[in-house]
Amino acid sequence: MRKTKSVSQIIAAHTLTYFNFLNLVLCVLVLISGQYKNILFMGVVVSNALIGIVQELRVKKLIDRLSVLTATKARVIQVDAGTTDPERIMSAEIEEVPNESLVVGQVIRLVAGDQIVCDGTVLVSEGMEVDESMLTGESVPVHKNIGDELFSGTHIVAGGGAAVIIHTGEDNYASKLVEKARTKKRASSEMQDAINRIIRYVSFALIPIGAALFCIQYFRAHAGMSDSLVNTVAGVLGMIPEGLVLLTSISFILGVGRLAGKRALVQEMEAIEALARVNTLCLDKTGTITTGALMVEKVVRIREVSEAGTDENEIRRLMEGIAHAFSETNVTGDALKAFFEDTKPYKVIDTLPFNSRRKYMGVVFEEAGAYVLGAPDFITKEKQILQKSEEYATKGYRVLLLSKVDGMTDMPQDLAGVEPVALIVLSDCVKEDAPETLKFFRDMGVQIRIISGDNPATVSAVALMAGLEGGERYIDATTLPTDPEELRRVVGKYTVFGRVSPEKKYDIIRAFQAGDPDDVTEDDKKSKKQGCVVGMVGDGVNDVLALKEADCSIAMANGADAARQTAHIVLTDSNFASMKNIVKEGRTIIGNIERVSALYLTKTIYSVLLCVLFVIIGKSYPFIPIQLSLIGATAIGIPSFLLALEQHDEVVISGFLRHVLRISLPGAIGMVLVTCVVQILDKVMMLGPDVVSTLNMLLGGAVSLGVLVFVCRPMNKVRLAMCVGMTVIFVGACLIAPQFFGILPIL
């Protein structure tokens, strides 16, 4: 279950911050000066903290409720301690309990797709294969027999069985190592990286610039202790981008809450931005554009007189034995079990579970011998059979080949004595909402790539039925180049990839992220933005490697534990169609933050420039805190929250800082220029301090409101009303209470 912050942690996160401490120090300085009206800025600080706490507490309640739905549970077998008889263990009742409730000595049931959460010892193995790459770095699954150890953090990739728990919690073998090893790649956040960089630079500059500003005003401009303190506070206060920090955190928090309402559990807030910037979305066919449910359409005997000596009745008996030989299940297994009765025609003496690497399963019967069932092209090289299989595949059917073999082997190339018996033809239905969903992504400028373990012709046919543009461009992933640079040149030419192994999915994701080397410019290399921002949707163990590597990974709640634990976002309704609303919400959140960040950075930049300028010329800072509070409220604070609530689905592209500076830098320079003009006029015309203060206030407000108008482009009725309203408030405040704001009466 996703761990959210405690109430105390939330309160601390919004109160015990560097900027809050700095504001408190500035407040004390203003109190010392005796000009109490200038502590009005603390009202904004307190309000910001309260808003952040209340909003995050509300979201915490929603996320905690939602997390229960996706919490990982273990299947505890109700047997007496010390029981080792496999039949008694596997036939006993099973109870699902939360992982945190597990205790040493309990026996747990394990199936393919489970993540192992406690160290244990295998009591029953039904062809159990475990991926221990998180511990060992070795990607080849490890066969587990009775008595073998299982380690937390690893997961079952094939087969299943039962194990007794020997360690829990921190007592698990190398639990710290496992925690590091299973840490997924964090969702990328270009925006937060840029904001954190700005905050770091400003933080370093605050104290020396503030000290220099005070010294210049007190010792050189002879402003007096009270005025020197207030003017210094005004200069430092303007440099603090606290509103930007608040807006970003609140937007992300509210975004997590809104996405939770759309049945999406965000496990990393940065994933919202990554999702908004995704321009290539990779997904499996099953459960996304198809329902995921399969149905056996027919059984096609290979030859009239089979070399394996089988007729239609014998084929059915063999399939009945194979279909019910495995206790773990998947959609293909469910379809086979539904079509073939559980008559137990032969005694099963050995099994080889299906996995996505070898593409087949196997059973050894005591009376009938060994048989394998799986992808035809992984079992036989007979052209006639492969051609027949391809004919069905091009019509959108899945095809399995049943073959008699001399003996089971884990590697397809080692199969010997292969005697094809029958083709099992299955159908897969396209989801009703798939065409609309795919069209949405096409309109949003997101390229869809289907990455499936099925026959590429089958996947292509289904993709075309679902209306996927370019679905006819398919390739068998086993024929893709192994050289990374060559793979980068090839992947962009195809929309559908079939017969994809877990490792190849990983390679394809990386190839899309890197981009075609022939299309990468020198500017791209410098900016490190060479390829695509890749999203990956998956639900199985075979998707874990790709989910880890993707910029934003999305898993289905009804998928494998390992996939849910790895993903940045979990769809709690397991419905790919809900991605439409999720992408819209993500783009809205990030687009709004980018739009209003320019407002906050304009103030930060011009405050830094003005502080440096007035230190150089040795004059008092041109604004007092109360004036900046009015300018900040009308041109930045209130508009930013209104703009942050807007709904739109504009395309979010890379280059956050560049986009923001394109607006904020000219605005900040404009503010510095008008302030310099006022200083020159004062020098020439001897205007006096009151007139200078009034001009600074009015011109500074006009420039800030001008930046607001620029940010609101393209203007609509709501934005126009907001701009007019903020202008009225600013002018009204100057007219009604000029003395309060330290300016001359205008009327």
Side-chain angles (χ1 to χ4, degrees), residues 316-357:
R316 189 168 189 90
R317 285 193 294 272
L318 289 169
M319 285 304 304
E320 287 172 354
I322 293 172
H324 297 277
F326 302 91
S327 55
E328 77 277 2
T329 187
N330 53 35
V331 290
T332 304
D334 289 340
L336 295 175
K337 288 178 180 178
F339 189 81
F340 298 103
E341 297 178 10
D342 185 11
T343 61
K344 294 182 174 60
Y346 303 113
K347 182 179 180 181
V348 176
I349 59 175
D350 196 9
T351 60
L352 181 67
F354 175 88
N355 77 15
S356 55
R357 177 173 49 85

Side-chain angles (χ1 to χ4, degrees), residues 26 30 38 41 213 217 228-240 607 611 621-628:
L26 296 178
V30 173
N38 285 295
F41 68 89
L213 189 62
Q217 292 177 108
S228 295
L229 286 174
V230 170
N231 290 337
T232 301
V233 168
V236 174
L237 195 63
M239 293 170 60
I240 302 175
S607 295
C611 283
Y621 193 74
F623 297 100
I624 57 176
I626 190 65
Q627 293 174 339
L628 291 178

Side-chain angles (χ1 to χ4, degrees), residues 135-402:
L135 287 174
T136 65
E138 188 63 47
S139 62
V140 178
V142 179
H143 291 275
K144 293 293 182 178
N145 299 311
I146 294 174
D148 289 345
E149 282 192 272
L150 300 175
F151 302 110
S152 63
T154 61
H155 55 266
I156 311 293
V157 295
V164 60
I165 297 173
I166 58 175
H167 296 136
T168 61
E170 294 183 359
D171 294 329
N172 284 320
Y173 171 74
S175 60
K176 291 183 179 180
L177 175 63
V178 174
E179 189 63 32
K180 291 180 181 178
R182 74 182 203 180
T183 298
K184 55 182 174 270
K185 175 182 175 181
R186 294 193 65 82
S188 56
S189 177
E190 176 191 347
M191 182 182 65
Q192 285 197 316
D193 289 344
I195 290 174
N196 289 336
R197 194 159 60 246
I198 292 168
I199 291 172
R200 185 167 62 250
Y201 294 154
V202 171
S203 299
F204 289 146
L206 276 173
I207 295 177
I209 290 178
L213 189 62
F214 173 80
C215 292
I216 287 295
Q217 292 177 108
Y218 184 70
F219 295 107
R220 187 172 171 184
H222 308 295
M225 178 61 73
S226 177
D227 288 340
S228 295
L229 286 174
V230 170
N231 290 337
T232 301
V233 168
V236 174
L237 195 63
M239 293 170 60
I240 302 175
E242 59 183 345
L244 179 58
V245 177
L246 173 74
L247 175 71
T248 304
S249 60
I250 291 296
S251 295
F252 274 132
I253 292 167
L254 291 177
V256 171
R258 286 199 291 265
L259 288 174
K262 299 180 187 298
R263 313 302 291 171
L265 177 61
V266 178
Q267 304 196 111
E268 285 183 23
M269 285 198 293
E270 295 88 349
I272 296 175
E273 180 184 354
L275 180 62
R277 298 189 193 280
V278 163
N279 53 29
T280 299
L281 187 63
C282 299
L283 46 94
D284 195 356
K285 169 176 65 69
T286 306
T288 52
I289 62 177
T290 62
T291 61
L294 295 175
M295 181 174 66
V296 176
E297 291 289 341
K298 55 184 173 180
V299 178
V300 181
R301 187 178 174 187
I302 296 294
R303 300 177 179 90
E304 288 300 320
V305 180
S306 173
E307 293 159 357
T310 53
D311 56 19
E312 282 85 353
N313 292 331
E314 179 67 8
I315 291 172
R316 189 168 189 90
R317 285 193 294 272
L318 289 169
M319 285 304 304
E320 287 172 354
I322 293 172
H324 297 277
F326 302 91
S327 55
E328 77 277 2
T329 187
N330 53 35
V331 290
T332 304
D334 289 340
L336 295 175
K337 288 178 180 178
F339 189 81
F340 298 103
E341 297 178 10
D342 185 11
T343 61
K344 294 182 174 60
Y346 303 113
K347 182 179 180 181
V348 176
I349 59 175
D350 196 9
T351 60
L352 181 67
F354 175 88
N355 77 15
S356 55
R357 177 173 49 85
R358 60 174 168 265
K359 304 291 184 185
Y360 62 77
M361 65 180 74
V363 176
V364 179
F365 299 112
E366 187 175 58
E367 303 92 338
Y371 286 84
V372 293
L373 177 71
D377 47 332
F378 275 66
I379 297 173
T380 184
K381 301 300 181 184
E382 289 191 35
K383 291 183 179 180
Q384 185 179 359
I385 295 174
L386 295 178
Q387 184 178 358
K388 188 68 175 176
S389 171
E390 193 72 12
E391 289 176 7
Y392 284 112
T394 54
K395 296 176 182 178
Y397 291 107
R398 288 198 194 186
V399 184
L400 302 176
L401 174 62
L402 173 66

